[in-house]
């Protein structure tokens, strides 16, 4: 079972920064989960929200900033004074830093402004020989990515209704994805078993307490997305 550090070890450091990624690596996470978007000048940066307001000292939409403008923002002080000066990373910088050390679960943000993100991310990933999984809430986006880069494993952040998948959902997923990533409060043993029977592995997001992590391990999920990678027992 994989331990997946949510936006890095974001329980201990500001999300989607090198500070959080370094701690995740130190805690022996199997994967770092992060979010990517394109800047105004076409660079792939690591940030979750479509606006910079919540996690930096700036204001505005990511798509309206050049890379230089984005990297002038402070992405750490909002979390704690000791993180002042943390920057919004380039995805390329992150991949270079952890090359062959840790896997990545990379979420393609589905904002309308992100035209060409699938192609840009796939082209960059082709230069690195580490374990990547690319995910999105958008099946259309993941299908497009899978069609262009069929050798890269993919995941859908799924929303099963009433604790089960419909047949149409399963058929759609089987054509494009290898993993389903589901909010842990929606998971049950039947749902996990159904996914496994259809050749899909199951991730659970986002876990923030140890008891929940232990329960999910007993339910035989294939990975747990957590702000606290040290909560996950490697013996489970």
């Amino acid at each position: 079972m994989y331990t997946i550090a949510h936006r890095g070890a974001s329980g201990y450091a500001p999300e989607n920064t090198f500070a959080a990624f370094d701690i995740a690596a130190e805690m022996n996470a199997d994967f770092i989960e992060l979010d990517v978007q394109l800047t105004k000048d076409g660079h792939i940066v690591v940030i979750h929200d479509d606006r910079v307001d919540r996690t930096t000292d700036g204001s505005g939409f990511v798509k309206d900033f050049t890379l230089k403008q984005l990297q002038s923002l402070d992405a750490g002080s909002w979390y704690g004074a000791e993180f002042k000066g943390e920057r919004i990373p380039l995805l390329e910088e992150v991949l270079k830093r952890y090359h062959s050390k840790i896997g990545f679960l990379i979420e393609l943000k589905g904002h309308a402004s992100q035209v060409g993100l699938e192609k840009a991310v796939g082209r960059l990933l082709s230069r690195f020989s580490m374990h990547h999984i690319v995910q999105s809430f958008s099946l259309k986006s993941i299908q497009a990515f899978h069609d262009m880069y069929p050798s890269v494993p993919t995941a859908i952040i799924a929303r099963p209704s009433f604790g089960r998948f419909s047949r149409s959902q399963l058929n759609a997923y089987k054509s494009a994805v290898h993993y389903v990533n589901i909010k842990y409060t929606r998971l049950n043993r039947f749902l996990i078993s159904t996914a496994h029977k259809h050749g899909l592995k199951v991730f659970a997001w986002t876990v923030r307490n140890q008891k929940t992590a232990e329960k999910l391990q007993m339910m035989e999920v294939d990975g747990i997305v957590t702000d606290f990678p040290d909560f996950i027992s490697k013996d489970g």
Side-chain angles (χ1 to χ4, degrees), residues 80-135:
E82 67 272 31
F83 298 108
K84 182 178 180 180
E86 285 291 328
R87 304 299 176 199
I88 297 172
L90 267 172
L91 178 60
E92 184 175 5
E93 293 175 330
V94 176
L95 297 178
K96 284 180 177 177
R97 184 161 177 155
Y98 298 98
H99 183 63
S100 300
K101 295 178 182 177
I102 195 167
F104 283 90
L105 176 60
I106 300 169
E107 182 177 340
L108 307 175
K109 303 311 290 183
H111 311 126
S113 63
Q114 298 300 305
V115 177
L117 180 61
E118 296 89 355
K119 186 175 183 179
V121 169
R123 187 185 300 149
L124 178 60
L125 293 183
S126 67
R127 294 167 41 198
F128 294 89
S129 58
M130 55 178 66
H131 191 182
H132 313 106
I133 302 170
V134 174
Q135 70 173 357

Side-chain angles (χ1 to χ4, degrees), residues 93-234:
E93 293 175 330
V94 176
L95 297 178
K96 284 180 177 177
R97 184 161 177 155
Y98 298 98
H99 183 63
S100 300
K101 295 178 182 177
I102 195 167
F104 283 90
L105 176 60
I106 300 169
E107 182 177 340
L108 307 175
K109 303 311 290 183
H111 311 126
S113 63
Q114 298 300 305
V115 177
L117 180 61
E118 296 89 355
K119 186 175 183 179
V121 169
R123 187 185 300 149
L124 178 60
L125 293 183
S126 67
R127 294 167 41 198
F128 294 89
S129 58
M130 55 178 66
H131 191 182
H132 313 106
I133 302 170
V134 174
Q135 70 173 357
S136 176
F137 277 98
S138 167
L139 184 58
K140 181 180 178 182
S141 177
I142 283 300
Q143 183 72 64
F145 182 91
H146 176 72
D147 290 346
M148 287 186 281
Y149 304 100
S151 65
V152 179
T154 49
I156 185 73
I157 306 172
R159 297 183 177 96
S161 298
F162 307 108
R164 63 182 61 227
F165 291 118
S166 68
R167 185 168 296 176
S168 61
Q169 278 179 311
L170 287 167
N171 288 336
Y173 294 163
K174 282 166 54 178
S175 70
V177 305
H178 307 82
Y179 300 85
V180 287
N181 194 358
I182 302 169
K183 189 173 182 179
Y184 77 90
T185 54
R186 295 192 178 196
L187 276 174
N188 57 62
R189 290 185 183 275
F190 175 77
L191 192 63
I192 295 166
S193 174
T194 300
H196 285 165
K197 285 176 182 176
H198 285 79
L200 298 166
K201 293 186 177 181
V202 180
F203 292 160
W205 65 271
T206 297
V207 176
R208 297 184 173 94
N209 71 75
Q210 211 148 11
K211 284 187 177 180
T212 301
E214 291 168 359
K215 179 181 177 182
L216 288 165
Q217 284 181 277
M218 292 178 64
M219 291 170 66
E220 299 185 344
V221 296
D222 301 286
I224 293 176
V225 182
T226 178
D227 293 349
F228 303 93
D230 54 335
F231 281 5
I232 310 301
S233 168
K234 291 296 184 180

Side-chain angles (χ1 to χ4, degrees), residues 6-19:
H6 181 236
R7 306 178 197 170
S10 56
Y12 299 103
E15 66 182 60
N16 282 330
T17 65
F18 280 118

